[in-house]
Amino acid sequence: MTQISLSELFSHKHNPYPIYAQLREQVPLARFRWMGTDMWLLAGYDQATTILKDPRFTMDWQKVQPAQTGRSDDVASSYMPLAWSKHLLNTDPPDHTRLRTLVSKAFIPRMIEQLRPRIQQLMDGLLDTVQAQGEMDLVAGVAVPLPIAVISDLLGIPVEDRKLFRTWTQIIVQSQGAAPGQGASGLEAEKAFVRYIKTLITNKSAHPDNDLTSQLVLAEEAGDRLNEDELISMIFLLITAGHETTVNLIANGMLALLEHPDQMRLLCADSSLLPGAVEELLRYTSPVTLSGPRWALEDVSLYGQVIHKGEMVRCALLAANTDPQQFPDPDVLDILRRENQHVAFGKGIHFCLGAPLARLEGQIAIGTLLRRLPHLRLACDPQQLTWKEGGSLRNLVSLPVTF
């Protein structure tokens, strides 16, 4: 076992770099206890990219874990579509290939670029409501509502229902990893989420529109279609992954710029630097700190250790993104960085499907904030900022600014 505990790793949200550097230097493959079971954590860039692409590790836990039992039919019927049925984050080929093929057309860069005018309109509308005030919470005012509006537009979700998703997803994410008997609120949120998505699917089946939900309902590839459980899981995944991580990119990215005024001035002076700046902010802030879990399909020898069949492995993406073996001066924010093959979106076949959309939203949000609010400043000491608990996401509770 490593000398560093998971609680230590997860408690350094504002400045996580030293603790992850310590982990990287101690051992490339660290073993922890997590929720009563052993978990291996890789902290180096080479180690992470190896595991993320290694077919000896599966994202489908049902291949190595016995099926869970003991749930009531009512609970299981609501919970299974989110936790147990097949979706992009818990399948391997050929199931993963089939699911990704059915949905990927909507997320190719050319299609996402067509959303630019609408995203810009949404962003301008958010700033119109606060610009005269001279201050705001950047999380509540921009980082949360923009991604929710974008993914809701894409999926054809009515405006009046959108706040529900933020509430449900927050509860679900916060309940992940809860001790036995402590996840009831998350389960109730999932059940409510499933009921809503089922109704949405029924409505789109009867009255298809020009939105992604309708396209998924009607999607067909070589005679194949998504079944109801797959549709529910896919829409759930698109909503949660479609806004939770982008919230962190915008909020954490702006905090990084506010704490590095030289980089912010550089970006203000030349908007053509935005694409590269967003890539550097993705590397430097790592909105998702840990990769999704994988399980060994066989005994695997790595870095002098044996990962036994069925054991869980996760990658510390933030540690990989600040590995000096891959990135010169990794703890320096440099929006002019040239070689930037970060792993913020993962690697291999499970590379984030929504990466083009997250990048576009980040560019528009950050670029618009800097253009329209040139005197943007933090309204408190950075040490006073509060971060949400939990290990997989690095998310601010609020980010008060003045302008």
Side-chain angles (χ1 to χ4, degrees):
M1 294 286 181
T2 178
Q3 297 175 9
I4 301 172
S5 68
L6 279 179
S7 60
E8 286 181 277
L9 284 179
F10 297 163
S11 63
H12 292 71
K13 290 295 183 78
H14 178 251
N15 183 21
Y17 311 106
I19 192 77
Y20 277 103
Q22 185 182 345
L23 175 66
R24 218 172 30 238
E25 292 162 6
Q26 275 189 14
V27 58
L29 181 59
R31 190 171 186 167
F32 295 92
R33 291 293 290 176
W34 185 73
M35 292 183 65
T37 187
D38 287 338
M39 178 186 82
W40 295 92
L41 186 65
L42 294 107
Y45 182 89
D46 287 342
Q47 293 86 354
T49 52
T50 296
I51 292 294
L52 292 173
K53 297 186 290 186
D54 193 329
R56 293 176 297 176
F57 294 89
T58 179
M59 295 197 76
D60 184 354
W61 63 271
Q62 294 184 77
K63 289 183 178 179
V64 295
Q65 303 282 345
Q68 294 190 32
T69 59
R71 295 186 182 274
S72 70
D73 289 343
D74 176 62
V75 172
S77 64
S78 291
Y79 185 79
M80 283 180 65
L82 304 190
W84 297 350
S85 68
K86 291 180 172 61
H87 57 70
L88 291 175
L89 296 187
N90 69 0
T91 53
D92 303 317
D95 291 324
H96 179 270
T97 307
R98 167 182 166 267
L99 293 172
R100 192 165 180 121
T101 299
L102 285 166
V103 72
S104 62
K105 294 182 180 67
F107 289 92
I108 59 175
R110 177 175 56 81
M111 297 297 291
I112 292 300
E113 182 61 30
Q114 295 176 15
L115 301 176
R116 182 181 291 274
R118 175 56 177 161
I119 298 174
Q120 185 64 62
Q121 180 186 35
L122 289 167
M123 182 62 194
D124 284 331
L126 292 171
L127 291 190
D128 288 344
T129 63
V130 299
Q131 191 153 10
Q133 299 172 12
E135 61 181 12
M136 69 169 166
D137 172 6
L138 200 146
V139 172
V142 172
V144 168
L146 180 66
I148 287 179
V150 171
I151 196 63
S152 297
D153 270 7
L154 196 61
L155 290 167
I157 295 167
V159 173
E160 60 270 20
D161 295 340
R162 296 176 182 183
K163 287 186 178 179
L164 288 171
F165 294 120
R166 180 59 178 172
T167 301
W168 287 332
T169 55
Q170 281 186 309
I171 293 171
I172 292 167
V173 168
Q174 289 169 7
S175 69
Q176 288 176 351
Q182 302 297 313
S185 62
L187 183 56
E188 289 303 313
E190 288 192 355
K191 290 166 70 175
F193 213 148
V194 168
R195 287 193 294 268
Y196 182 89
I197 294 174
K198 283 184 175 180
T199 301
L200 180 69
I201 290 169
T202 299
N203 292 339
K204 296 298 182 180
S205 297
H207 307 286
D209 204 346
N210 187 29
D211 55 60
L212 183 54
T213 301
S214 298
Q215 292 175 31
L216 290 174
V217 169
L218 301 173
E220 187 170 336
E221 186 74 23
D224 191 20
R225 301 181 77 161
L226 297 170
N227 63 41
E228 185 184 56
D229 281 358
E230 290 170 340
L231 275 169
I232 293 169
S233 291
M234 187 70 74
I235 293 169
F236 169 80
L237 181 63
L238 291 172
I239 291 170
T240 52
H243 87 269
E244 282 288 347
T245 52
T246 310
V247 169
N248 298 342
L249 166 60
I250 295 169
N252 299 354
M254 284 305 305
L255 174 60
L257 289 172
L258 289 164
E259 291 187 298
H260 296 82
D262 59 324
Q263 298 297 294
M264 195 160 95
R265 286 192 296 270
L266 192 62
L267 189 52
C268 285
D270 186 356
S271 61
S272 71
L273 299 177
L274 264 170
V278 166
E279 296 307 308
E280 175 67 349
L281 292 170
L282 283 163
R283 181 199 70 83
Y284 185 80
T285 68
S286 294
V288 179
T289 56
L290 297 182
S291 71
R294 287 160 170 78
W295 289 267
L297 290 169
E298 59 189 68
D299 290 354
V300 179
S301 296
L302 284 176
Y303 311 109
Q305 305 270 18
V306 177
I307 303 173
H308 294 289
K309 179 180 178 180
E311 289 186 332
M312 181 194 299
V313 179
R314 301 186 78 170
C315 301
L317 301 179
L318 187 148
N321 281 335
T322 51
D323 187 340
Q325 298 298 316
Q326 176 67 22
F327 304 99
D329 299 317
D331 297 335
V332 174
L333 179 67
D334 179 9
I335 66 170
L336 299 179
R337 190 179 295 272
R338 297 299 181 192
E339 295 298 323
N340 199 349
Q341 297 298 313
H342 61 75
V343 291
F345 293 122
K347 285 285 184 184
I349 64 170
H350 290 97
F351 182 84
C352 177
L353 181 71
L357 180 58
R359 285 175 163 130
L360 181 60
E361 289 182 59
Q363 291 172 24
I364 291 174
I366 292 169
T368 305
L369 282 164
L370 298 182
R371 185 181 74 253
R372 291 189 52 174
L373 307 177
H375 304 295
L376 193 66
R377 297 290 183 273
L378 273 174
C380 69
D381 187 303
Q383 299 301 322
Q384 296 177 322
L385 295 171
T386 304
W387 299 79
K388 293 180 182 176
E389 296 181 359
S392 295
L393 297 175
R394 185 167 175 251
N395 36 13
L396 281 159
V397 173
S398 64
L399 183 60
V401 294
T402 61
F403 41 85

